[in-house]
Each structure stands twice: as C-alpha cells, then as structure tokens.
Amino acid sequence: MSERDRLMRRIAAYDFGIVELHLFLDTHPNDRNAQKKLDEYTRKSDEVRREYEEKFGPIQATNMDANRWAWISNPWPWDTEEE
C-alpha cells in the first residue's frame, strides 16, 4: 500500500469516528469523554489531511489554499499498478 493510500485510510477512519461521535452526542450531549474523543479525532483528522495535502495536493476541489485544478492531477485511482 502506498503512502498516499495509507494517509487516505487514516483520514477516512478519523472522519468515520467523527461522524459516529456526533451521532452519539446527539443522544448523550453531556458525555464529556465522547466530546474529548471528538475533539481529538477532529484534530488528528486535520493533521493527517494537512500532511496529505502537502505531499499530494488537495483532497477536495473546494480547498482554497491550493491550485484550483490540482485535485484532478494524476494518478487516477484506476491508473495504479496494483492488482
């Protein structure tokens, strides 16, 4: 697995946790441990996202800090040589 793929998986994992914690906090708004974990995952997701974007360009076309067209740069997912 490439570094690019590893970083994307980490971002996806943190973002999944963020969504789940938001749903949990909808029914448990006073759970301080869940809120701390949400803050931690949000911080870590932002860190990994920044690392990814520094190395490989923006993840989304709406990233205002990057070249508007950098998100369409090669390689496309189907251009990799993995089997």
Side-chain angles (χ1 to χ4, degrees):
M1 180 182 304
S2 69
E3 180 181 11
R4 184 179 192 159
D5 291 336
R6 278 192 296 279
L7 290 172
M8 282 302 292
R9 283 183 183 222
R10 286 180 61 201
I11 292 167
Y14 285 129
D15 288 354
F16 177 82
I18 289 167
V19 170
E20 291 296 311
L21 286 164
H22 273 289
L23 292 172
F24 179 81
L25 286 166
D26 284 345
T27 58
H28 301 80
N30 298 320
D31 189 321
R32 291 179 190 236
N33 289 331
Q35 183 61 52
K36 286 180 185 177
K37 187 61 79 172
L38 175 62
D39 294 341
E40 175 189 343
Y41 282 12
T42 301
R43 188 184 76 257
K44 287 181 177 182
S45 177
D46 290 343
E47 289 172 4
V48 177
R49 191 175 305 271
R50 268 192 302 277
E51 180 182 352
Y52 179 95
E53 290 181 344
E54 286 173 3
K55 292 179 180 181
F56 304 108
I59 294 173
Q60 297 176 328
T62 57
N63 185 331
M64 301 309 256
D65 296 334
N67 175 338
R68 175 185 160 129
W69 299 105
W71 68 278
I72 63 171
S73 298
N74 286 332
W76 288 89
W78 52 84
D79 289 336
T80 62
E81 295 181 17
E82 295 179 10
E83 295 181 30

